Amino acid sequence: MTPRFEALAGDAWLIHLGTTADTATNAHVHAIVARIRATAPSWLRDLVPAYTSLGVFFDGSIDADSARDWLRAQCLADIETTTAPPSRTVEIPVCYGGAHGEDLEAAATELGIAPAELIARHGEATYTVAMIGFAPGFPYLGGLDPTLALPRLATPRTHVPAGSVAIGGAQTGIYPRESPGGWRLLGRTPLRLFDARRDPPSLLAPGDRVRFVAIDADTFARSEREA
C-alpha cells in the first residue's frame, strides 16, 4: 500500500500503512520503524507505532515537508534490506481463573472447551506486541489462536483489576491499571505493566514477544508482595 501522510501537528506526521489490523500489516509497520531507527536522523524525536499506522515526531531542525519526503522514501524503500534489532521475549506469569479471572469458565463454555484447555491453548502461543494504547502500558497482543476469539462483554465492567489478562475479539491484552473494560477476564499477572518511576515506564514495547506462564494463587500472592 502506498503510504498516506496526515499532518498531526506542525511537528508530527501520521503515516497510514494499511487499512486492516492484521499481523502482516502490523509487521510492515514495525519493519518501517526498524528502518527509520537504523538511520536515526538527528531531527527525529519519537516514533509511535500502531496497528496500521506510525506517528512520527520531529524537531524544528527540519521543515515538515522535508521530513515527509524523507519518511516517504523510507516507506517505499526495500525493507527486506533492513536488519531489525532482535526482539525481546518477555514471560508474563498469570494466575488463571477464580477471583483472578472471573470470566474463564464462562469463556470456556462459550468456546465449547474445558477451562483447562482454554488455559493451555492461551499459553501455547508466542504473541507480538502490536501496539501500546487504550491506557499507558496496555499491550495489544497479536497471535491469539483464532478459535479462541471472543466478543467483548455486552455491558463493560466499571472496574477491572490491574494486571488482568483478557481476550477481546481476536486479541489478548493486559490491563496495566484499574480501569473500566469489556474484555473477557481469564487471569491476572502480579507484574506491573506500567510504572512512571521506571525507565522505561512500560514493561512492554511494540515489537516485543510475549509468552504467558501459568502460576498458582500462592505464587501470585508472593510475587505481588515482592513487586
Side-chain angles (χ1 to χ4, degrees), residues 94 99-102 138 159-166 173-177 184-189 193:
V94 182
H100 298 93
E102 54 191 290
F138 185 103
H159 171 79
V160 173
S164 292
V165 176
I174 311 168
Y175 288 84
R177 58 184 301 178
R184 310 295 185 97
L185 308 183
L186 303 186
R188 199 183 311 165
T189 180
L193 271 291

Side-chain angles (χ1 to χ4, degrees), residues 2-94:
T2 302
R4 181 170 63 84
F5 284 72
E6 177 183 354
L8 284 179
D11 60 353
W13 287 105
L14 179 64
I15 310 173
H16 297 274
L17 295 163
T19 56
T20 305
D22 53 33
T23 54
T25 301
N26 188 247
H28 184 66
V29 171
H30 290 302
I32 298 296
V33 169
R35 184 176 185 84
I36 293 174
R37 284 188 173 146
T39 308
S42 60
W43 44 263
L44 181 66
R45 289 176 47 214
D46 199 8
L47 297 171
V48 182
Y51 247 109
T52 64
S53 62
L54 172 62
V56 182
F57 296 80
F58 51 92
D59 65 23
S61 64
I62 188 170
D63 64 81
D65 289 345
S66 296
R68 179 198 57 205
D69 293 345
W70 185 88
L71 291 165
R72 177 179 284 115
Q74 306 312 307
C75 294
L76 296 175
D78 180 10
I79 60 173
E80 298 299 327
T81 63
T82 300
T83 301
S87 59
R88 298 187 304 161
T89 298
V90 181
E91 288 194 347
I92 303 292
V94 182

